[in-house]
Amino acid sequence: MGVRNPPRFRVESNSTAYHFFDGSNFTMTRTKVVQILKTVPPGTEVDVRGWVRTKRESKQDFAFLEVNDGSCLANVQIVVDANVPDYSTLIKQIHTGASVAVIGEVKESLGKGQRVEVHARTLKVLGTADPQTYPLQKKGHSFEFLREKAHLRPRTNTFGAIARVRNALCTAVHNFFQARGFLYVQTPIITTSDCEGAGQIFQVTTLDLAKLQQLRGPIDYGHDFFGKKAGLTVSGQLEGEIYATAVGDVYTFGPTFRAENSNTTRHLAEFWMIEPEMPFYELEENMDLAEAFVRSIVKDVMDHCADDLAFFNERIEPTLLTSLQNIVEHDFIRRTYTEAIEILEKSSQPFEYPVSWGKDLQSEHERYLTEQHFKQPVILTDYPREIKSFYMRCNDDGKTVRAMDVLVPRIGEIIGGSQREERHSVLIDRMQECGLNPADYWWYLELRQYGTVPHSGFGLGLERTVQLLTGMTNIRDCIPFPRTPKSAEF
RNA sequence: UCCCCGAUAGCUCAAUCGGUAGAGCGAGCGGCUGUUAACCGCUAGGUCCUAGGUUCGAGCCCUAGUCGGGGAGCCA
């Protein structure tokens, strides 16, 4: 778990020794491209290893290689000339995609476009990439094409940058909560609580389905692995509440599974979610935390991935940096659902779906509020109880619950949360109102029976946050190996 | 799951009214060059998604299917 702020190690100027701040040392010969470009002084001999992005070959016995190793967006330019042993043989073997190891000297570059470059003394081709079959080329590819090459797409600029942003985001998440004394709690992936109230469940079974099909009778889950029907988690919230009402502020950070047949740019069947849960928090503190959280992680990623975000701003979404800056610098707007309905009703916007109190807001309504009306993130609260989950705390008006949704431009809902219903009898009533059987939630109810406290929490979708941070429009490009209906190849 | 759109060279795409399959990039070869999305010339490269159908003739029209994309719903 990356809870410590980078840099975590220091590199000697000859860049062969790593001295970790925790006291450990080891030597390795490889110098990462990011170090060559940013810290290694000219005159240093380095051992660079990576994948060739382009080769620009002169027939007069020298060539330029652009080598990338994923340590940063930029490539390092390698100058190879006839003094390198086996020059003409080796250079013929190298095309886009080949892996190479180069030992050479860092020099200030004569050409434009880079501060330094590496003049090769020796060149080794670790692996060739046949240009007739290697799918990636110098030119850009469509994201649809690259999705079918998920094993190779991290070798592209865009997907390398996404990987670094995602990593920085995960670190920022842990940093935020660890700095505030939250405990990182692991909630189960496999659950038997059939009805967590959030969507379709992937069933987990060791029963022989082919055999069951022949038997045709009712299925006896007593013979299944767990002795009852089991599935993959759709949320760690209920278990998070257990720890929140025992050890204090907690957060979960793990995979979540929804078996919905969703085919959109915002949904995955397997995605990662961060779910903090805090005792003694009422909705206002919950909102304060959610807002501080979003702004903190955005700022951290802007600080640590400046080059990558500049790339996204230039190539993917021209409003990216200003919209992120906007999030960091301005307070989020806070309105109730009822106020939002009034705004929407007064607007002259021609909505496809009519606006009326009691109906859930459509995507177009949410987008209007955050993109057109307020032009910044909005937190909406106190939704009608009919359209929200059973565990949300009922307001005294009898009509609304203490729910909150955080809406951001371009994405829509990025956080959903609430103050939880901590009153035992009210919760039972709400379960029955929602058609749930309280007996199925016996342990959840006991949290209210014994030492109940007001508490709150929310869930943030990791991949939607990656969308927010990168401007990538399709969520399938924001996770290394997306799972969607009819698609789980890699 | 519903609505709309698409599938043609390795990639991105074009092909007029149903009449011989095209370009750019990439690749190979040659030229030129401290180059940098290099540049110039030549060459090779096609089961037009699949299966039926209509027609003298289908990349193009019709039917079914597969896969992909966008939008909606569900939500994070």
Side-chain angles (χ1 to χ4, degrees), chain A residues 448-469:
Chain A
R448 278 76 179 164
Q449 203 173 344
Y450 307 117
T452 192
V453 293
H455 62 290
S456 301
F458 59 83
L460 173 103
L462 183 72
E463 287 74 18
R464 287 191 184 174
T465 311
V466 175
Q467 284 186 284
L468 176 72
L469 288 166

Side-chain angles (χ1 to χ4, degrees), chain A residues 237-381:
Chain A
Q237 180 199 318
L238 302 194
E239 289 91 348
E241 289 187 44
I242 293 177
Y243 269 75
T245 55
V247 297
D249 301 335
V250 299
Y251 67 107
T252 72
F253 189 170
T256 306
F257 307 88
R258 306 262 168 101
E260 256 114 31
N261 192 7
S262 296
N263 291 290
T264 80
T265 54
R266 303 183 310 284
H267 291 86
L268 293 164
E270 177 182 301
F271 64 100
W272 286 64
M273 191 155 60
I274 295 121
E275 294 179 289
E277 193 71 32
M278 299 75 64
F280 318 116
Y281 272 50
E282 301 198 358
L283 192 67
E284 287 69 25
E285 287 97 38
N286 199 24
M287 282 192 279
D288 290 344
L289 185 79
E291 177 171 345
F293 177 53
V294 171
R295 292 166 73 178
S296 167
I297 57 181
V298 169
K299 182 168 192 313
D300 272 17
V301 172
M302 290 180 83
D303 288 346
H304 288 114
C305 297
D307 292 349
D308 292 317
L309 294 191
F311 169 81
F312 289 118
N313 195 68
E314 188 187 328
R315 304 291 285 269
I316 305 290
E317 171 56 62
T319 68
L320 179 68
L321 289 177
T322 49
S323 77
L324 295 181
Q325 202 68 44
N326 192 34
I327 290 171
V328 171
E329 286 172 359
H330 296 97
D331 291 344
F332 292 7
I333 306 290
R334 300 184 186 191
R335 292 289 186 276
T336 65
Y337 166 90
T338 304
E339 289 166 339
I341 293 291
E342 284 166 9
I343 292 168
L344 292 167
E345 280 174 338
K346 276 185 206 149
S347 85
S348 50
Q349 196 77 5
F351 293 117
E352 190 182 339
Y353 293 88
V355 176
S356 75
W357 201 99
K359 282 187 188 159
D360 210 352
L361 297 179
Q362 303 289 319
S363 289
E364 57 172 348
H365 305 144
E366 295 180 343
R367 258 184 280 123
Y368 172 78
L369 290 170
T370 184
E371 289 171 9
Q372 313 264 317
H373 189 79
F374 292 115
K375 294 188 166 59
Q376 40 185 309
V378 183
I379 310 181
L380 296 184
T381 61

Side-chain angles (χ1 to χ4, degrees), chain A residues 137-201:
Chain A
Q137 300 170 359
K138 279 190 208 181
K139 281 257 173 173
H141 293 91
S142 69
F143 296 134
E144 293 81 10
F145 172 74
L146 290 172
R147 242 166 259 153
E148 294 169 6
K149 312 284 176 198
H151 59 309
L152 296 172
R153 69 178 184 168
R155 299 186 186 185
T156 64
N157 283 338
T158 303
F159 286 89
I162 293 167
R164 285 184 296 275
V165 166
R166 192 179 161 108
N167 171 70
L169 170 60
C170 294
T171 304
V173 166
H174 284 299
N175 283 343
F176 178 86
F177 288 119
Q178 292 296 321
R180 283 162 180 75
F182 281 59
L183 258 56
Y184 172 32
V185 170
Q186 292 76 35
T187 49
I189 308 290
I190 299 174
T191 73
T192 55
S193 43
D194 190 15
C195 26
E196 284 169 346
Q200 296 282 77
I201 294 174

Side-chain angles (χ1 to χ4, degrees), chain A residues 31 33 36-37 46-56 62-68 75-81 84 87 91 94 100-106 109 114 116-124:
Chain A
T31 305
V33 169
I36 294 171
L37 296 181
V46 292
D47 177 348
V48 197
R49 302 181 191 188
W51 294 265
V52 172
R53 286 291 176 77
T54 71
K55 173 181 73 170
R56 290 184 292 274
F62 70 98
F64 299 96
L65 304 179
E66 295 269 347
V67 173
N68 187 284
N75 309 318
V76 65
Q77 174 163 283
I78 312 285
V79 184
V80 190
D81 63 25
V84 169
Y87 169 81
I91 214 72
I94 294 175
V100 295
V102 175
I103 294 175
E105 187 185 337
V106 177
S109 181
Q114 59 282 319
V116 293
E117 61 196 12
V118 173
H119 288 238
R121 189 160 57 74
T122 68
L123 168 66
K124 205 155 129 189

